[in-house]
Amino acid sequence: MVILFAVLPVTVAGKAQEDNQPANELTVRLATYNMHTGIGTDGSYNLDRLAETIRESGSDIIGLQEVDVNWSSRSQFENQVEILTDTLNMDYFFAPIYNLDPPAAGEPRRQYGIAVLSKYPILHAENREIARLSTQDADPVPKPAPGFLEAQIHVDGEEVWFYVTHLDYRSDPTVRELQVDDMRDITSSHSNSILTGDMNATPDSPELAPLFEQFEDTWALTNEDPGYTFPSDSPDKRIDYVLTTPGMEVQSASVISSMASDHLPVTADVTLEPGEHPLDASSLKALVDHFDEEGEFTSDVDVHSLKMHLAAVSHYEDREAAEKVVKHMEGFKRLLDHQQDNISEDAYETLKTDADYLISDWQ
């Protein structure tokens, strides 16, 4: 069995970008990784080793499973999400599957679940419910429970919906069938979606068939090798996936060799074209809120003014009044120029570029 190693392209500002790629296209490296709470094949807990695996993968957006936040001694009661995001300098959202009382009063809650790390701003994220058979109940029955992560991510003028999941591990596929149905219902409203996760089922498993009606398997699109991902020390099955909705241009997919977990990470390079999944005014408003929360503005008045402009744009978008949309977005750009001294360079350039994208979409 052959494990493919990622051949990393030249990286510009943390984003996978081919040398000969047209300037108006962007290749994003997506990934999934069941991190086994940071415990490697040697049985040792080593979060630094796992962080280095993620760094070396070149991932721009990665879905993680089996993440501990102050959970237990197995991970030294660490907040793994905060440590990884600080180490890798990425935005994040954590979606607990289990959220338990602390062992003692005044201590943080014990949480276990899934997460997304992103080099791009996460505009909005939710912890959605799907069917689960709890491992924390003595006599569990399938019922809706948290642990399906949905994130709206801003990728240089494009709006991408990124999902992270971890399906039931039991040999009986009944719960996975319910989970697949629930995930399809949630993801069906967005055409530009990426679904990542440990499905605990191989590609030929009947319970996954409905997913492949809605999503394309990036590995199957680009490889003839089996792409085994589990167990990492001697893999003999493929149960970890990066799936995309039809129409996204998949360049390649790789399985990364690492002993940092009992699973191997999977990456997929996907090319986005400007205008393919454009932002609207409400998404730009969410981006302003994101930059405000990150301290990229020095004036609350400036933030309020920008959001008022975008509220007007949303009003005219709803009425499909293209001329008014363009007029108010030009005003938004002038306001940005006026406020430039009070905005970080990154926030200014990003908002200005996205304003141009939105204007061109309505002209």
Side-chain angles (χ1 to χ4, degrees), residues 246-259:
M248 290 190 174
E249 186 177 350
V250 181
Q251 303 293 341
S252 62
S254 300
V255 175
I256 310 298
S257 179
S258 173
M259 298 294 106

Side-chain angles (χ1 to χ4, degrees), residues 96-107:
I97 296 173
Y98 301 122
N99 186 1
L100 307 183
D101 291 336
E107 295 183 0

Side-chain angles (χ1 to χ4, degrees), residues 61-81:
I61 310 172
I62 183 168
L64 300 175
Q65 302 85 42
E66 296 194 15
V67 184
D68 279 355
V69 172
N70 312 309
W71 181 257
S72 71
S73 58
R74 71 183 180 191
S75 51
Q76 301 176 5
F77 289 95
E78 291 184 328
N79 186 328
Q80 295 185 323
V81 180

Side-chain angles (χ1 to χ4, degrees), residues 29-30 114 125 147 158 173 210 225 259 262 265 318 337 339 353 355 362:
R29 178 157 293 176
L30 312 169
I114 56 182
E158 301 299 302
D225 296 313
M259 298 294 106
D262 63 343
D318 291 341
D337 290 338
Q339 298 174 350
T353 299
W362 281 90

